[in-house]
C-alpha cells in the first residue's frame, strides 16, 4: 500500500511540473590502465506550476435580515377641533415614535388632552415577547388633527428605551400623577 501511495505521489509531482533536460548524461571514460576521466551527471531545469493566490469579486447569495418600510393605506384617527377665537385651522399629523432594542415593542396613542394653549399626546409603550437579538426597531403611531396651531407635547407611559432617539419625548411611569398636574384640561381624543 505504501508503495502504491508513493507511486501516486511521484506521478502527481511529475505531472504537475514541466521538466526539460539541459545536458545529456555522460559516463566516465575508462582506460584499462585504470586512469579515469571525470564523468558528468545530467542536469535538469525544472519549472514548477505557477501558483497565484489572491481574491476575485464574485456574486454569491448570503442571508441578510432587512426591515423594509412600506407605505400602506390604513385607517388613521382624525380629530377636528374647534376652539373659540382660535382663527384658522390646520391639518397636522401627530406622530409618536420610539426606537427600541432587545425586544419588540408597540406604541399606541391613547389620549389627547387639550389645555388653554397646549395639546398633550399621551402614548403607551409596551414591551412584547419577540426577541430582536442585536437589532434595533422603530415603532410609531399617528393621528390626524385639524385644529388651530397649538403647542404639542408628547408624553409616553412606559420605560424609556436606552437610545438617543428617544430623548425628544417625556417618559412617565405614573400617568395619573402627570394628569393631576394639568389645569383646565379636557380630553379630546381617547382610543
Amino acid at each position: 500500500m505504501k508503495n502504491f501511495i508513493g507511486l501516486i505521489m511521484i506521478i502527481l509531482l511529475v505531472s504537475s511540473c514541466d521538466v526539460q533536460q539541459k545536458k545529456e548524461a555522460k559516463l566516465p571514460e575508462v582506460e584499462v590502465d585504470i586512469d579515469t576521466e571525470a564523468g558528468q551527471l545530467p542536469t535538469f531545469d525544472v519549472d514548477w506550476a505557477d501558483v497565484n493566490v489572491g481574491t476575485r469579486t464574485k456574486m454569491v447569495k448570503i442571508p441578510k435580515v432587512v426591515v423594509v418600510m412600506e407605505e400602506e393605506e390604513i385607517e388613521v384617527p382624525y380629530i377636528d377641533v374647534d376652539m373659540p377665537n382660535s382663527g384658522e385651522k390646520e391639518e397636522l399629523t401627530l406622530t409618536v415614535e420610539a426606537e427600541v432594542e432587545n425586544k419588540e415593542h408597540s406604541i399606541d396613542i391613547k389620549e389627547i388632552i387639550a389645555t388653554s394653549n397646549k395639546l398633550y399626546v399621551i402614548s403607551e409603550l409596551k414591551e412584547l415577547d419577540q426577541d430582536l437579538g442585536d437589532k434595533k426597531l422603530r415603532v410609531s403611531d399617528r393621528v390626524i388633527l385639524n385644529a388651530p396651531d397649538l403647542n404639542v407635547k408628547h408624553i409616553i407611559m412606559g420605560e424609556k428605551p436606552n437610545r438617543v432617539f428617544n430623548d425628544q419625548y417625556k417618559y412617565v411611569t405614573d400617568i395619573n400623577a402627570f394628569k393631576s398636574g394639568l389645569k383646565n384640561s379636557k380630553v379630546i381624543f381617547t382610543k
Side-chain angles (χ1 to χ4, degrees):
M1 181 69 172
K2 288 182 185 179
N3 290 340
F4 180 71
I5 292 174
L7 180 64
I8 296 293
M9 294 289 286
I10 291 171
I11 290 171
L12 286 175
L13 282 173
V14 169
S15 66
S16 68
C17 61
D18 181 23
V19 178
Q20 295 177 4
Q21 185 174 355
K22 294 294 220 169
K23 293 182 184 177
E24 290 191 24
K26 183 178 176 186
L27 295 175
E29 290 182 18
V30 179
E31 290 183 17
V32 178
D33 62 358
I34 315 237
D35 259 344
T36 63
E37 189 178 305
Q40 173 181 314
L41 293 176
T43 61
F44 296 91
D45 185 14
V46 179
D47 292 332
W48 286 93
D50 187 18
V51 179
N52 294 315
V53 178
T55 61
R56 285 188 180 169
T57 303
K58 187 172 182 172
M59 289 299 258
V60 294
K61 290 183 180 181
I62 56 173
K64 284 191 175 187
V65 176
V66 178
V67 176
V68 177
M69 300 296 284
E70 294 180 352
E71 280 192 27
E72 285 187 23
E73 195 169 295
I74 61 170
E75 292 289 320
V76 178
Y78 180 83
I79 306 162
D80 190 31
V81 178
D82 290 316
M83 296 181 74
N85 303 321
S86 62
E88 200 172 312
K89 294 193 292 187
E90 182 178 342
E91 189 172 286
L92 302 169
T93 300
L94 301 176
T95 303
V96 63
E97 290 183 302
E99 189 172 85
V100 296
E101 57 189 354
N102 301 324
K103 292 279 190 178
E104 188 175 337
H105 286 64
S106 68
I107 193 164
D108 293 304
I109 297 173
K110 295 294 186 183
E111 286 183 310
I112 298 180
I113 302 172
T115 62
S116 58
N117 64 346
K118 279 189 184 172
L119 283 179
Y120 292 94
V121 179
I122 311 294
S123 303
E124 183 177 21
L125 180 66
K126 286 185 186 176
E127 182 177 284
L128 304 175
D129 294 332
Q130 181 67 38
D131 189 9
L132 294 175
D134 61 350
K135 306 287 186 259
K136 287 134 190 81
L137 178 69
R138 282 197 187 169
V139 291
S140 66
D141 194 17
R142 63 197 39 79
V143 296
I144 298 173
L145 177 71
N146 190 30
D149 189 21
L150 296 170
N151 189 2
V152 177
K153 182 117 174 120
H154 287 274
I155 309 299
I156 299 177
M157 299 180 288
E159 188 176 326
K160 179 181 175 188
N162 189 21
R163 307 285 304 151
V164 173
F165 178 84
N166 300 310
D167 290 344
Q168 61 186 322
Y169 303 121
K170 179 176 182 169
Y171 285 78
V172 297
T173 53
D174 185 0
I175 195 62
N176 292 325
F178 173 78
K179 287 181 184 180
S180 68
L182 297 178
K183 306 290 185 229
N184 301 322
S185 62
K186 180 180 178 182
V187 176
I188 62 169
F189 172 76
T190 302
K191 191 188 232 179

